Amino acid sequence: MEAEKKPPVVSDVGAWAMNVVSSVGIIMANKQLMSAAGYAFSFATTLTGFHFTVTALVGWISNATGYSVSKHVPLWELVWFSLVANTSITGMNLSLMLNSVGFYQISKLSMIPVVCFMEWVLNSKHYTTKVISAVVVVAAGVGICTVTDVEVNAKGFICACVAVFCTSLQQITIGSFQKKYNIGSFELLSKTAPIQAISLIILGPFVDYFLNGRSLLNYNFSGGAIFFILLSCALAVFCNMSQYLCIGRFSATSFQVLGHMKTVCVLILGWVLFDSALTVKNILGMLLAVMGMVVYSWAVESEKKVTTSIPRNKSDMLDGEDVPLKARVSGLPPVDLEEGDMKS
């Protein structure tokens, strides 16, 4: 119990900042690594395997030095989670290959309502009108500034649906596992990363060969390419860690909504660093998205205040409140229905 009362090492704002900075940083690093103008390392799935390999190594060192404590999670649940997560990664890569960039962005935006629906089905979570309105505003804003041409085919549509479903399920499961097994975000990541690393290192090169027709064995690993691969892996450790941290503390929906701040940052940095075009449409979309995020944060905080203001036990209630009418009339103390011998 004393361990639970200790303040967290990373604050809520720090967790979000870590996720935004590391995610934007890894996108910028990967853009230099994978673009034709950079080092043309077009092996995205294999690179993700490298990411989880380094993450697993960091987790092992943390456990070995006693910084983190390993807790038991059934192996079959870890394997199941890793299968869903790897399907999400592969599905996203296939969706980007088979569909236009515009439809790929739409599929990413669709994760917000899908996560909301799945949390409602799986966790019986309900959302206020304010939260739903804010989610719509964020999705509209990001859609305006990112969606351009929209082309889709049957195979691409199926891959996008699989990717959206698996990504949403993965993010919800992260929060569920942390609550179910009372395990910290980094400890859970340390258990899932090795399984994902092994499977992606083995299958990644074959998936990448299917995607772009290039073999990893024929790639020329220059010094610059190795540097950006290591940089990408280092940033991935913080990105993965902060993802588990944010979802564990908040929810998968909040992670999706506020996570679109990364999209806005990527557009701005792309304009600053890579001379990407930034139109009036982009700017208006970003402003609308940021406004939606502010409204969402306000709506969630308002919902928390309403929840905490509701009395949780009888000592918090006013005299006579929530007392059955029959007990008031008779003067007898109320019967606790959960403990009383009530038969249906």
Side-chain angles (χ1 to χ4, degrees), residues 126-148:
H126 297 275
Y127 299 91
T128 64
T129 305
K130 296 175 183 177
V131 171
I132 295 174
S133 301
V135 167
V136 172
V137 173
V138 172
V142 176
I144 289 173
C145 63
T146 59
V147 177
T148 52

Side-chain angles (χ1 to χ4, degrees), residues 323-337:
V323 177
L325 179 60
K326 192 177 290 185
R328 293 184 193 177
V329 174
S330 63
L332 297 174
V335 178
D336 191 338
L337 296 181

Side-chain angles (χ1 to χ4, degrees), residues 177-191:
F177 275 8
Q178 291 188 45
K179 294 175 183 176
K180 182 178 180 180
Y181 297 106
N182 191 26
I183 187 172
S185 55
F186 185 69
E187 287 76 16
L188 179 60
L189 178 60
S190 300
K191 288 186 170 295

Side-chain angles (χ1 to χ4, degrees), residues 137-202:
V137 173
V138 172
V142 176
I144 289 173
C145 63
T146 59
V147 177
T148 52
D149 60 311
V150 178
E151 296 179 9
V152 64
N153 54 70
K155 290 182 180 179
F157 180 78
I158 293 173
C159 289
C161 290
V162 171
V164 169
F165 174 79
C166 289
T167 303
S168 303
L169 182 59
Q170 175 210 8
Q171 294 181 356
I172 292 173
T173 305
I174 290 173
S176 299
F177 275 8
Q178 291 188 45
K179 294 175 183 176
K180 182 178 180 180
Y181 297 106
N182 191 26
I183 187 172
S185 55
F186 185 69
E187 287 76 16
L188 179 60
L189 178 60
S190 300
K191 288 186 170 295
T192 59
I195 301 175
Q196 288 188 256
I198 293 172
S199 55
L200 288 173
I201 288 294
I202 295 173

Side-chain angles (χ1 to χ4, degrees), residues 10-277:
V10 181
S11 66
D12 293 346
V13 175
W16 280 116
M18 185 195 300
N19 185 256
V20 171
V21 172
S22 60
S23 297
V24 173
I26 200 172
I27 290 172
M28 294 294 110
N30 288 351
K31 186 169 184 177
Q32 179 65 26
L33 175 64
M34 305 180 75
S35 66
Y39 295 96
F41 186 84
S42 55
F43 308 99
T45 311
T46 305
L47 180 62
T48 307
F50 294 161
H51 290 169
F52 281 107
T53 300
V54 175
T55 303
L57 179 62
V58 172
W60 178 80
I61 294 173
S62 177
N63 288 332
T65 56
Y67 181 78
S68 58
V69 180
S70 178
K71 291 187 178 181
H72 175 71
V73 178
L75 179 61
W76 73 269
E77 294 225 65
L78 295 175
V79 172
W80 171 82
F81 173 83
S82 300
L83 179 62
V84 171
N86 289 349
T87 304
S88 163
I89 294 167
T90 305
M92 279 296 179
N93 290 338
L94 287 172
S95 175
L96 183 58
M97 181 188 77
L98 297 172
N99 300 315
S100 65
V101 176
F103 185 80
Y104 176 75
Q105 290 293 344
I106 289 177
S107 66
K108 289 181 68 177
L109 287 174
S110 68
M111 287 181 197
I112 299 179
V114 171
V115 167
C116 291
F117 177 75
M118 291 180 70
E119 284 197 317
W120 174 66
V121 172
L122 298 175
N123 301 327
S124 301
K125 186 170 183 177
H126 297 275
Y127 299 91
T128 64
T129 305
K130 296 175 183 177
V131 171
I132 295 174
S133 301
V135 167
V136 172
V137 173
V138 172
V142 176
I144 289 173
C145 63
T146 59
V147 177
T148 52
D149 60 311
V150 178
E151 296 179 9
V152 64
N153 54 70
K155 290 182 180 179
F157 180 78
I158 293 173
C159 289
C161 290
V162 171
V164 169
F165 174 79
C166 289
T167 303
S168 303
L169 182 59
Q170 175 210 8
Q171 294 181 356
I172 292 173
T173 305
I174 290 173
S176 299
F177 275 8
Q178 291 188 45
K179 294 175 183 176
K180 182 178 180 180
Y181 297 106
N182 191 26
I183 187 172
S185 55
F186 185 69
E187 287 76 16
L188 179 60
L189 178 60
S190 300
K191 288 186 170 295
T192 59
I195 301 175
Q196 288 188 256
I198 293 172
S199 55
L200 288 173
I201 288 294
I202 295 173
L203 300 177
F206 297 101
V207 174
D208 290 328
Y209 183 79
F210 173 77
L211 290 174
N212 55 47
R214 297 180 61 188
S215 173
L216 181 66
L217 298 176
N218 297 328
Y219 181 76
N220 179 28
F221 285 90
S222 63
I226 293 174
F227 169 78
F228 276 99
I229 289 174
L230 294 176
L231 176 62
S232 180
C233 289
L235 290 169
V237 174
F238 292 99
C239 186
N240 291 329
M241 192 188 308
S242 59
Q243 178 189 7
Y244 279 56
L245 197 61
C246 290
I247 293 176
R249 291 191 185 181
F250 307 100
S251 69
T253 303
S254 296
F255 183 76
Q256 280 291 331
V257 172
L258 299 181
H260 281 296
M261 177 61 72
K262 294 177 282 190
T263 305
V264 175
C265 293
V266 167
L267 287 172
I268 295 174
L269 286 177
W271 173 64
V272 174
L273 300 177
F274 299 100
D275 295 326
S276 300

